[in-house]
Amino acid sequence: MRLPEPPDLARPRWRLALTALAVTLVVAVVLGFRDGPDLVKSLGDTDDAMRLALVRELLNGQGWWQQHLMRLQPPMGVYMHWSRLLDGGIAGLERLFALFVDWPRAEWLTRLVWPMLWIFPAVIGMLAVADRLGETPDGTGKVPGAVLIAAAMLMIDMALYPQFRPGRIDHHDVQMTFCFLALAGAVQRGPSLKGPILAGVATGLGVAIGLEALVFEAAIGAAIALRFVFDGGQARALRAYGLALAATTTLAFCIQTPPWRWAVSACDALAFNSTAAIVVAGLAVAAIAVVARGRTPPIRFLALGGGAILTVGAYLGLDPHCIKGPFADVDPAIRSLWLVHVQEMRPWPVVFQRKPEDALTLAAAPLMGLIALAWLGRRRTTRQDPAFRLSAGMLALTTAAGFSGIRMSGYADWVAIPLLAAAAADAADVVARRYHREALVTVIITGLVAMPGIYAQAAVWIDQTATKLTAPNGGKKAEPEPADHCFQNWPYRTLAKAGPPGLVLDEIDLGPVILDNTSDSVLAAPYHRMSWGMLASRSVWAANADDGTAEAKARALGIKYVVECDAHRHHADRLGLSADSLMKRLDEDEDQPDWLERLNPPESAVEVFRVRPQATPAPAPAASPKGRSL
């Protein structure tokens, strides 16, 4: 019996959507059962907890435009640079669930469902790219199996979804999804304008959510523009992209930014300067597409170069300081104190030195993607395909970004999937035709061989085995570090019941968790716009615990509670502190200073103290009236 050919899961288009839905359901069930139960124990990492705090304030009556948070570093407060669009989306989903269940369950369901909602558009974007790469360069045919292999990879490789697991409500999953949709729109061919419009809309929404993927989205826009340089027939596509980009960015900016801040520039978020630059870019390429359509390629290139100069001029002209990047306005004093120690900002070589197995896992997909590029690029016609060139450029950019900071590594993992799927399908087709094998069996076997997760696990196993064989202690496991319960909910019940809310002296990373679990305010939180609170907090933690210095600084700031987690005693925020500093003193579980009252048992995961009321001096004895004896 002859087996059927590999199914075409992309034609008609409803099959592509149905395939993406099947992948989404499988992944969502696995993630839900694996990570869903932990939602009641913890609110996620610091960014997840901070997003939840913003959503709760919005649901509790804080106005859409009231984005100045006074519970962070009071009395100054802070204007967070995060997108209000996500706050509104998450709050809207929670209100929907609240129609059927009580508010605690509605919040739990929102934290469970929200991140997994974004799996479907991310998957359909990658399947669309795989389908396009599986086409012959002239568009007359396609290699069977590319979408099938991509779907299998996306369904099996759970390492792709750390940003989409239950509880991840920060912003990374949404940013990644819009970037993938922009790529999917940009690689489409044909007279339809749906692809460039999708690329423009997705880019506009992506930059409104955050600027982390801006370099990737700029590369996508540049690729669409360069396609017009070499092919004047792409004028309509470029015009549609530019207009969609300008309109979407403007609308998103106006919706999420208070009117009284429309003229404010910033380097770390969509603000007046960045919005103006993107609108100039969109309108410029749209105008050039109309005016320069019949010109020669050099003229079109020069015209687009002039548009790029206008874009950069608009951005830097409104705020020249932003030439230093998104962290241009960060206080230099907190760079060495906090920013350079943020784990997700660590470059790949640092991760390799500390945790080789993690580094090898991160490197598997990009390395496999490079092999796929080499295979697909062996044909000259493929190398000249705009979709191949853009995918190759995106893999190079995302790999470089992940190498310089591991929080960006997830982009390369996803971008590599369509390339791997297309290369595997092409290799299967070659093997099936040359050796007269069943096409479906060959596609399945080749797809399994191309799975990056297999090589990631193999690399981890080899590294662990080599470590055991060369370990000086005979391969015995080192003593595990104590469990870190600092980000779970239960340790903060003591603080929540301590009495009237007040200002908390906290570790930098614990600020958002305290906001969610109590009614208190915090002096420090891990956000670069809070330099005053970080430095004020540091000055108290570093002060002598016994000579009155730390007490005087704490009282001057109005601190009512002190929270510290000694499981973090080896964290970078302890660097440079003396043994008699307040933080080191509390880390060692010694008797707390007299001016602090312990509120929790000594064995608790989190240390909670109340600042004792300052003793009132005894009144001086009354003087005796003159001329009268006592």
Side-chain angles (χ1 to χ4, degrees), residues 126-143:
M126 291 297 95
L127 292 181
V129 176
D131 178 59
R132 174 64 179 83
L133 292 175
E135 295 179 356
T136 56
D138 59 4
T140 59
K142 61 187 303 184
V143 177

Side-chain angles (χ1 to χ4, degrees), residues 252-266:
F253 170 76
C254 292
I255 291 175
Q256 75 175 12
T257 308
W260 53 87
R261 292 184 62 88
W262 283 356
V264 176
S265 294

Side-chain angles (χ1 to χ4, degrees), residues 76-221:
M76 295 177 59
V78 64
Y79 188 91
M80 285 292 289
H81 60 291
W82 286 5
S83 170
R84 200 61 163 172
L85 296 178
L86 287 192
D87 297 340
I90 297 171
L93 183 61
E94 186 169 340
R95 282 191 179 276
L96 176 63
F97 285 135
L99 297 176
F100 309 98
V101 297
D102 57 27
W103 280 103
R105 287 186 179 88
E107 183 178 274
W108 182 87
L109 284 171
T110 301
R111 295 174 57 223
L112 174 72
V113 172
W114 173 264
M116 295 192 292
L117 286 177
W118 296 95
I119 296 176
F120 176 76
V123 167
I124 202 170
M126 291 297 95
L127 292 181
V129 176
D131 178 59
R132 174 64 179 83
L133 292 175
E135 295 179 356
T136 56
D138 59 4
T140 59
K142 61 187 303 184
V143 177
V147 175
L148 176 64
I149 295 174
M153 289 180 176
L154 292 165
M155 187 180 295
I156 295 172
D157 191 358
M158 292 297 132
L160 291 168
Y161 301 98
Q163 302 296 348
F164 295 83
R165 68 182 188 273
R168 293 296 285 166
I169 59 172
D170 52 5
H171 47 263
H172 296 295
D173 48 4
V174 184
Q175 287 182 147
M176 293 173 70
T177 298
F178 283 129
C179 180
F180 302 152
L181 289 175
L183 175 61
V187 299
Q188 301 307 308
R189 59 155 49 111
S192 174
L193 299 181
K194 293 179 181 178
I197 291 175
L198 173 62
V201 171
T203 299
L205 293 174
V207 296
I209 300 303
L211 302 183
E212 290 177 3
L214 179 60
V215 64
F216 310 144
E217 290 151 346
I220 292 170

Side-chain angles (χ1 to χ4, degrees), residues 395-457:
L395 181 63
L397 277 176
T398 54
T399 300
F403 186 83
S404 61
I406 61 170
R407 73 172 176 177
M408 304 299 291
S409 60
Y411 287 87
D413 294 344
W414 280 79
V415 170
I417 294 297
L419 290 164
L420 283 169
D426 183 75
D429 183 64
V430 171
V431 171
R433 286 187 288 103
R434 181 173 298 179
Y435 298 102
H436 306 288
R437 301 298 181 186
E438 293 285 355
L440 181 59
V441 174
T442 310
V443 163
I444 294 173
I445 294 175
T446 310
L448 290 173
V449 171
M451 292 281 182
I454 296 175
Y455 299 94
Q457 292 302 315

